[in-house]
Amino acid sequence: MIADVQRTGNAEEQAEYRSKVVATLEPYGGRYLARGRRVSVAEGGWEPGSLVLVELPDLAAARAWNDSPEYRAITPRASGTRTANG
């Protein structure tokens, strides 16, 4: 999974999310390959926020993780701390 995340809102809520999200990935075989704000765009006018690259075993595992109660309990989408495309 690749996501371009634009952080907005409460920094404490963002930090709490980041501290908990790895534990939600592990039961689905997921792990971070990369995440961070340091991005070098080689071509075009794209202005990414933080890029996130997550490996999961397959599409079914990715969907199961994204829809899981564990992930939904911590996702900051509901509290308005970020917008994400991915």
Side-chain angles (χ1 to χ4, degrees):
M1 177 187 75
I2 301 170
D4 174 4
V5 179
Q6 304 291 330
R7 292 191 175 120
T8 61
N10 187 303
E12 286 181 20
E13 289 179 3
Q14 293 170 15
E16 181 179 353
Y17 169 81
R18 287 190 307 271
S19 74
K20 294 180 179 180
V21 70
V22 172
T24 70
L25 284 165
E26 291 171 349
Y28 299 91
R31 67 185 182 112
Y32 280 102
L33 297 178
R35 62 180 169 172
R37 292 184 178 196
R38 295 181 61 178
V39 178
S40 176
V41 177
E43 295 183 23
W46 180 39
E47 296 182 22
S50 293
L51 286 184
V52 178
L53 179 59
V54 175
E55 177 184 53
L56 288 130
D58 52 36
L59 183 57
R63 288 183 174 158
W65 166 73
N66 191 65
D67 294 338
S68 72
E70 301 88 0
Y71 179 65
R72 291 297 169 176
I74 66 160
T75 187
R77 285 182 225 156
S79 62
T81 65
R82 71 176 184 161
T83 58
N85 295 301

